[in-house]
């Protein structure tokens, strides 16, 4: 390779044919469509043609040179802020047209045990309890050192966002406390998450304002996606390092070579919206996701291309939904509707599939049951039935939170038999199931699935104002008319990705850190394994590892330093 | 570069008469009033632009369409109320958005002659500052769209104001397009919101790889 006088590097996107003429930098001028839009200019790549040379060489010309390249503006935005505060120059790339990724449309909660809001409210918690709890939650999937690092850094991260990002409105509510049973060691029946004013949108506004205030140190490019990592060395042999990124302007397709003197932090979200990846990696099909449409596994592919150790790829944060469409949109049920008194969820065989009031992530797991006789997913779809005892008290999903409004995707009948016929549920089996369910529900009991026995259910969807029910989550389903609709499995995010060191550096398949490459948020293999300990379980570790990585990458010596 | 020069002159030679007319025209227009004067000419007679520039579809939609190019000519009237009679009521013309310094003229001539362009034209990504040159700022826009219920029956709730969203002050171009239907970005998650002529629910960021 050294015999090649002028080192060149492949910049071609996967779709670009080798002999396709490169788009000239004057292309955008044609005809009268001129002027402004000058931001498009930054996307011009230098004249480097695909020559078949390996992609491991150092380009001679760069379009941009910075210390740290951060891909994604969700949780990863904190990495840019922390790195900039530590004296590095950062470039933040966002594929979407708006800032904030999935975080911007989230609830904005961060699962941070033993946090200062809990202390202020005199809620007892400890480092040891939290560690004990997540050791059980993560089912042995996560190296203990990562769990310890998370627990020991999360409050330091919160402290940083209060002092340096200016988040002064952290608070907690009463709903969405830890999702797993109260009997689990270290479990907290009070929420361990805190959220700033304005939920995810508010959280991102704080981040955006902090970045704007650091305009001389952090540049932001919207509608620009990371395409490939530039790697100098032999990733198969585990030698070499990441030296930059090939990015692409999403609108024009123009590519640019960005030098990352210190490192690259990838926080491009999950792969929910990449049908190929979700079909092949996830344990069961998904029909819905609330994740940002930009979450198409870009960061996962970039890391796989340099040999990253992928973990938890079969897992997702489950979120069930009604009225699902081909584009994975629908009406999610965060357990606030299905968990209230007067509902039952059955499959087409008339069997209950689980505890209707369980947290979304846990309830989603019920849909991966496989029918080994009929050779099909036994619980996909299932059907949620609401009786009139429900509808006179609470709004139906998709009604715009209006009691009495019945969305058009619901079937409606005066008797359960008739509704079962309309929905295609085995009538006799359903009647037997409901008879048993109602007998127990009248006594406030659910011996089959333990609905309403845990604090999560009680404080999230439970109705404590009703005196006519013995269990705040449970009432017989017996008053017509009845309303029913199909319920489908989906995600609020995938949680598999590269495994990292405690500093957030990506490990390769042999277990060795890939120098200068970091992942965070839903791009990294979650420290919680496949399970969701409680509200804020994506953003908590996401922001914590972004903080750790921003600090770590800033300490590195630039690779091009003399 | 050499090949470009050869291409350029070969093009000129093949289009001797047309080239001569263009040169004379440019000289004549520039001669009458200089650059400022010719800009005034193109303001008063925007149909002149189409003589040389490859903009027929955009000129057509600017003349009458449901898109923002035509709506920019209505001075507050609705599309229905407007009757197009000549160009007297056209207050935003081509050059108001597509302003170019004089040297751009030669760059474009060069690109045209050497074939260095796409047809149809690539969509120009306008900057938010261009809009705010006339439309003030976000606070102003929020007041303008405070009561959209009557016009857009599909809004998720009364008082829905797309300019006052959880995303804050995003770029105008995220939703608004000029020579084509604008994009109902909110529909990504909230179902159809902005419906009717001039809007589409084909949100690009949902179609990216």
């Amino acid at each position: 390779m050294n015999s090649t006088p002028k080192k060149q590097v492949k910049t071609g996107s996967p779709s670009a044919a080798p002999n396709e003429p490169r788009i000239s930098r004057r292309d955008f001028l044609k005809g009268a469509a001129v002027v402004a839009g000058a931001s498009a200019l930054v996307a011009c790549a230098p004249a480097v043609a695909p020559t078949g040379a390996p992609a491991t060489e150092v380009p001679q010309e760069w379009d941009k040179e910075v210390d740290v390249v951060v891909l994604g503006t969700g949780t990863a935005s904190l990495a840019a802020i922390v790195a900039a505060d530590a004296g590095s120059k950062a470039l933040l790339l966002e594929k979407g047209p708006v800032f904030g990724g999935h975080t911007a449309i989230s609830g904005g909660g961060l699962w941070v045990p033993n946090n200062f809001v809990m202390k202020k409210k005199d809620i007892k918690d400890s480092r040891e309890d939290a560690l004990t709890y997540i050791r059980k939650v993560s089912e042995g999937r996560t190296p203990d050192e990562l769990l310890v690092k998370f627990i020991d850094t999360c409050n330091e991260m919160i402290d940083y966002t209060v002092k340096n990002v200016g988040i002064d409105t952290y608070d907690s509510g009463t709903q969405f406390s830890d999702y797993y049973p109260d009997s689990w060691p270290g479990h907290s029946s009070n929420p361990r998450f805190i959220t700033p004013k304005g939920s995810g949108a508010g959280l991102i506004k704080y981040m955006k304002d902090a970045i704007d205030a650091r305009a001389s140190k952090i540049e932001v490019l919207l509608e620009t996606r990371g395409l490939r990592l530039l790697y100098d060395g032999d990733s198969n042999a585990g030698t070499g390092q990441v030296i930059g990124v090939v990015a692409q302007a999403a609108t024009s397709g123009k590519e640019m070579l960005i030098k990352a003197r210190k490192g690259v932090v990838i926080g491009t979200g999950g792969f929910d919206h990449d049908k190929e990846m979700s079909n092949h990696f996830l344990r069961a099909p998904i029909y819905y996701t609330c994740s940002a449409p930009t979450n198409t596994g870009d960061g996962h592919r970039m890391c796989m291309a340099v040999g990253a150790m992928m973990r938890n790829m079969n897992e997702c944060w489950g979120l069930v939904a009604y009225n699902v469409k081909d584009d994975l949109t629908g009406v999610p049920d965060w357990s606030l509707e299905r968990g209230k008194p007067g509902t039952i969820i059955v499959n087409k065989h008339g069997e209950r599939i689980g505890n209707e009031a369980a947290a979304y992530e846990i309830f989603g797991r019920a849909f991966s049951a496989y029918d080994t006789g009929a050779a099909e997913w036994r619980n996909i779809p299932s059907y949620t039935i609401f009786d009139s005892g429900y509808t006179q008290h609470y709004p139906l999903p998709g009604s715009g939170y209006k009691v009495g409004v019945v969305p058009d995707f619901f079937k409606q009948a005066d008797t359960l038999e008739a509704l079962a016929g309309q929905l295609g549920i085995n009538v006799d089996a359903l009647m037997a199931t409901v008879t048993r369910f109602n007998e127990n529900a009248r006594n406030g009991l659910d011996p089959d699935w333990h609905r309403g026995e845990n604090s999560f259910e009680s404080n999230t969807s439970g109705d404590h104002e009703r005196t006519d029910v013995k269990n705040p989550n449970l009432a017989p389903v017996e008053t017509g008319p009845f309303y029913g609709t199909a319920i489908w499995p989906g995600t609020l995010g995938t949680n598999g990705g590269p495994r990292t060191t405690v500093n957030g550096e990506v490990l390769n398949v042999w277990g060795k850190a890939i120098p200068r490459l970091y992942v965070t948020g839903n791009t990294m293999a979650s420290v919680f394994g496949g399970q969701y300990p409680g509200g804020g379980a994506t953003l908590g570790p996401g922001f914590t590892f972004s903080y750790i990585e921003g600090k770590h990458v800033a300490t590195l010596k630039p690779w091009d330093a003399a | 570069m050499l090949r470009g020069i050869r291409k350029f002159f070969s093009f000129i030679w093949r289009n001797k008469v047309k080239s001569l007319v263009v040169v004379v025209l440019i000289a004549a227009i520039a001669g009458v009033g200089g650059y400022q004067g010719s800009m005034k000419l193109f303001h008063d007679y925007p149909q002149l632009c189409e003589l040389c520039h490859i903009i027929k579809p955009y000129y057509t939609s600017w003349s009458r369409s449901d898109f923002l190019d035509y709506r920019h000519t209505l001075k507050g009237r609705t599309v229905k109320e407007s009757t197009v009679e000549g160009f007297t009521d056209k207050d935003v013309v081509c050059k108001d958005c597509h302003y170019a310094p004089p040297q751009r003229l030669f760059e474009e001539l060069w690109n045209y002659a050497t074939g260095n362009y796409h047809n149809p034209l690539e969509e120009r990504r306008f900057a938010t500052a261009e809009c705010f040159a006339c439309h003030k700022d976000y606070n102003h826009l929020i007041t303008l769209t405070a009561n959209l219920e009557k016009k857009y029956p599909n809004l998720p709730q009364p008082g829905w104001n797309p300019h006052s969203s959880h995303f804050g002050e995003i770029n105008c171009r995220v939703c608004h397009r000029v020579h084509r239907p604008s994009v109902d970005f909110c529909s990504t998650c909230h179902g159809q919101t902005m419906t009717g002529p001039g809007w589409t629910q084909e949100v690009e960021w949902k179609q990216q790889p």
Side-chain angles (χ1 to χ4, degrees):
Chain A
M1 291 305 134
N2 292 335
S3 60
T4 316
K6 188 175 178 181
K7 283 190 175 180
Q8 292 184 317
V9 59
K10 264 186 178 172
T11 62
S13 66
S15 60
N19 294 325
E20 224 169 66
R22 278 190 66 86
I23 295 165
S24 145
R25 70 181 66 205
R26 289 208 182 102
D27 267 2
F28 75 107
L29 290 176
K30 317 130 208 172
V34 286
V35 209
S39 58
L41 269 170
V42 296
C44 296
V48 281
T51 59
T56 56
E57 294 187 32
V58 183
Q60 283 200 329
E61 273 186 83
W62 299 88
D63 295 278
K64 270 183 187 297
E65 300 189 21
V66 294
D67 295 319
V68 183
V69 176
V70 179
L71 305 180
T73 51
T75 57
S77 55
L78 183 60
I81 294 171
V82 173
D85 289 354
S88 297
K89 196 167 177 296
L91 174 67
L92 195 47
L93 303 183
E94 167 58 51
K95 183 166 76 165
V98 291
F99 189 95
H102 191 177
T103 307
I105 53 176
S106 74
L110 296 93
W111 196 81
V112 173
N114 206 16
N115 61 61
F116 78 96
V117 176
M118 293 173 88
K119 282 181 186 144
K120 247 197 299 198
K121 293 184 175 180
D122 267 339
I123 297 170
K124 203 176 150 286
D125 198 4
S126 72
R127 169 187 186 276
E128 285 67 33
D129 277 354
L131 258 177
T132 307
Y133 179 62
I134 58 173
R135 277 184 185 131
K136 182 160 173 58
V137 166
S138 58
E139 293 183 318
R141 287 187 173 191
T142 310
D144 207 58
E145 55 181 19
L146 277 181
L147 296 175
V148 171
K149 180 76 176 186
F150 164 68
I151 294 291
D152 286 347
T153 322
C154 58
N155 281 302
E156 188 186 321
M157 176 274 293
I158 292 292
D159 196 42
Y160 189 90
T161 62
V162 171
K163 289 187 184 135
N164 300 63
V165 182
I167 303 182
D168 51 4
T169 54
Y170 279 124
D171 203 353
S172 67
T174 55
Q175 292 179 309
F176 298 101
S177 60
D178 284 355
Y179 292 178
Y180 283 86
D182 292 9
S183 58
W184 282 27
H187 173 282
S188 169
S189 52
N190 286 296
R192 274 172 162 154
F193 78 89
I194 52 174
T195 182
K197 200 176 156 205
S199 304
L203 184 54
I204 282 301
K205 189 169 186 323
Y206 282 111
M207 292 293 153
K208 180 88 171 35
D209 289 348
I211 285 166
D212 289 346
R214 292 160 173 81
S216 62
K217 289 174 178 171
I218 307 175
E219 185 186 356
V220 182
L221 288 180
L222 297 180
E223 294 182 279
T224 309
R225 69 189 277 233
L227 211 56
R228 290 196 304 104
L229 291 167
L230 288 167
Y231 190 95
D232 184 20
D234 184 348
S235 61
N236 186 35
T239 59
Q241 58 186 348
V242 169
I243 56 168
V245 170
V246 182
Q248 184 184 40
T251 50
S252 67
K254 291 192 175 84
E255 290 172 16
M256 56 180 148
L257 301 176
I258 302 165
K259 182 196 267 190
R261 285 189 212 101
K262 292 182 177 176
V264 176
V265 179
I266 302 183
T268 53
F271 54 84
D272 315 67
H273 281 280
D274 185 289
K275 285 203 168 156
E276 178 82 7
M277 286 177 82
S278 63
N279 276 344
H280 286 269
F281 287 126
L282 297 182
R283 63 185 183 261
I286 58 165
Y287 296 84
Y288 169 83
T289 179
C290 69
S291 76
T294 40
N295 290 3
T296 53
D298 295 11
H300 294 75
R301 272 187 293 272
M302 293 166 82
C303 291
M304 283 192 266
V306 295
M309 172 193 281
M310 306 305 278
R311 290 294 181 264
N312 298 350
M313 290 297 279
N314 63 325
E315 291 294 350
C316 59
W317 313 122
L319 175 57
V320 293
Y322 308 104
N323 196 29
V324 295
K325 302 276 167 58
D326 283 348
D327 62 357
L328 299 179
T329 59
V331 178
D333 190 334
W334 294 90
S335 81
L336 292 171
E337 285 97 355
R338 58 188 159 79
K340 289 205 158 53
T343 68
I344 187 169
I345 299 181
V346 295
N347 60 20
K348 68 179 177 183
H349 307 287
E351 306 155 340
R352 282 178 75 201
I353 66 166
N355 168 7
E356 290 86 352
Y360 42 88
E361 189 272 322
I362 300 176
F363 197 67
R365 293 174 170 251
F367 289 80
S368 48
Y370 197 73
D371 184 329
T372 51
E376 62 186 16
W377 299 102
R378 191 164 179 90
N379 298 336
I380 302 177
S382 287
Y383 302 90
T384 309
I385 296 172
F386 301 82
D387 82 342
S388 287
Y390 175 97
T391 52
Q392 68 182 190
H393 287 100
Y394 320 110
L396 285 169
S399 64
Y401 306 104
K402 290 188 199 86
V403 175
V405 172
V406 182
D408 56 9
F409 59 84
F410 273 88
K411 300 268 195 255
Q412 181 178 342
D414 288 335
T415 65
L416 269 176
E417 288 90 338
L419 185 66
Q422 288 187 43
L423 292 171
I425 303 169
N426 182 318
V427 178
D428 294 341
L430 175 69
M431 296 317 290
T433 300
V434 171
T435 303
R436 176 180 163 77
F437 175 82
N438 285 353
E439 275 168 17
N440 288 312
R442 269 182 214 105
N443 298 317
L445 299 173
D446 176 17
D448 298 327
W449 297 101
H450 309 285
R451 175 165 167 183
E453 290 180 15
N454 288 307
S455 53
F456 167 85
E457 297 146 49
S458 181
N459 69 30
T460 301
S461 56
D463 184 345
H464 294 272
E465 282 171 16
R466 275 177 71 171
T467 50
D468 60 326
V469 292
K470 288 187 176 165
N471 177 329
N473 296 96
L474 204 49
V477 178
E478 57 187 358
T479 318
F482 299 91
Y483 307 87
T485 188
I487 184 166
W488 301 83
T491 72
L492 72 97
T494 59
N495 62 30
R499 173 63 77 219
T500 66
T501 67
V502 291
N503 297 320
E505 297 156 298
V506 172
L507 294 176
N508 69 10
V509 290
W510 317 112
K512 195 180 155 199
I514 300 172
R516 304 182 190 276
L517 179 60
Y518 303 80
V519 284
T520 184
N522 277 353
T523 311
M524 78 189 289
S526 171
V527 288
F528 301 138
Q531 318 219 57
Y532 208 89
T538 53
L539 298 187
F543 278 107
T544 301
F545 277 93
S546 291
Y547 169 76
I548 292 168
E549 293 162 17
K551 267 200 340 189
H552 190 262
V553 71
T555 62
L556 299 185
K557 195 180 167 201
W559 60 263
D560 62 351
Chain B
M1 187 68 184
L2 256 177
R3 197 207 270 171
I5 291 169
R6 215 179 306 136
K7 255 189 173 172
F8 180 77
F9 284 106
S10 133
F11 177 87
I12 299 294
W13 183 247
R14 276 184 281 116
N15 299 279
K16 293 184 279 285
V17 180
K18 269 191 210 161
S19 303
L20 193 68
V21 171
V22 169
V23 169
V24 169
L25 239 147
I26 292 171
I29 292 170
V32 170
Y35 188 67
Q36 289 307 321
S38 42
M39 280 297 115
K40 168 104 174 60
L41 188 71
F42 285 115
H43 182 269
D44 295 344
Y45 301 97
Q47 62 270 48
L48 288 176
C49 303
E50 203 208 342
L51 285 180
C52 299
H53 295 285
I54 315 169
I55 53 169
K56 191 160 181 59
Y58 318 115
Y59 184 79
T60 308
S61 69
W62 173 78
S63 305
R64 180 91 201 187
S65 73
D66 292 315
F67 306 151
L68 276 192
D69 45 8
Y70 180 61
R71 302 178 83 88
H72 271 90
T73 71
L74 298 177
K75 291 182 175 167
R77 278 164 295 161
T78 65
V79 174
K80 270 186 197 159
E81 285 164 359
S82 170
T83 50
V84 184
E85 289 167 24
F87 296 105
T88 50
D89 63 350
K90 301 275 183 188
D91 62 346
V92 178
V93 298
C94 309
K95 69 151 201 69
D96 292 332
C97 300
H98 298 282
Y99 174 84
Q103 65 271 24
R104 192 60 61 78
L105 178 70
F106 298 101
E107 285 189 36
E108 287 187 23
L109 274 174
W110 176 271
N111 285 333
Y112 180 67
T114 55
N116 187 17
Y117 65 99
H118 285 296
N119 194 5
L121 301 176
E122 211 172 278
E123 187 180 351
R124 183 172 77 87
R125 323 295 290 191
F126 59 83
T128 294
E130 294 179 67
C131 305
F132 284 156
C134 299
H135 295 283
K136 295 181 192 166
D137 55 29
Y138 249 93
N139 288 334
H140 171 65
L141 297 176
I142 289 169
T143 61
L144 292 182
T145 50
N147 299 298
L148 286 181
E149 289 92 73
K150 278 184 191 154
K151 212 169 154 199
Y152 298 97
N154 281 353
L155 294 180
Q157 67 211 41
W160 178 271
N161 191 336
H163 288 127
S164 173
S165 86
H166 54 87
F167 279 120
E169 302 190 356
I170 58 176
N171 287 330
C172 304
R173 200 175 48 69
V174 173
C175 303
H176 295 293
R177 304 298 145 85
V178 180
H179 299 300
R180 62 203 83 216
S182 288
V183 174
D184 180 10
F185 188 72
C186 301
S187 76
T188 306
C189 302
H190 295 286
Q192 290 193 354
T193 64
M194 312 307 282
T195 47
W199 287 97
T200 176
Q201 271 74 39
E202 303 274 311
V203 187
E204 289 120 332
W205 77 330
K206 294 186 80 168
Q207 284 138 34
Q208 287 171 0

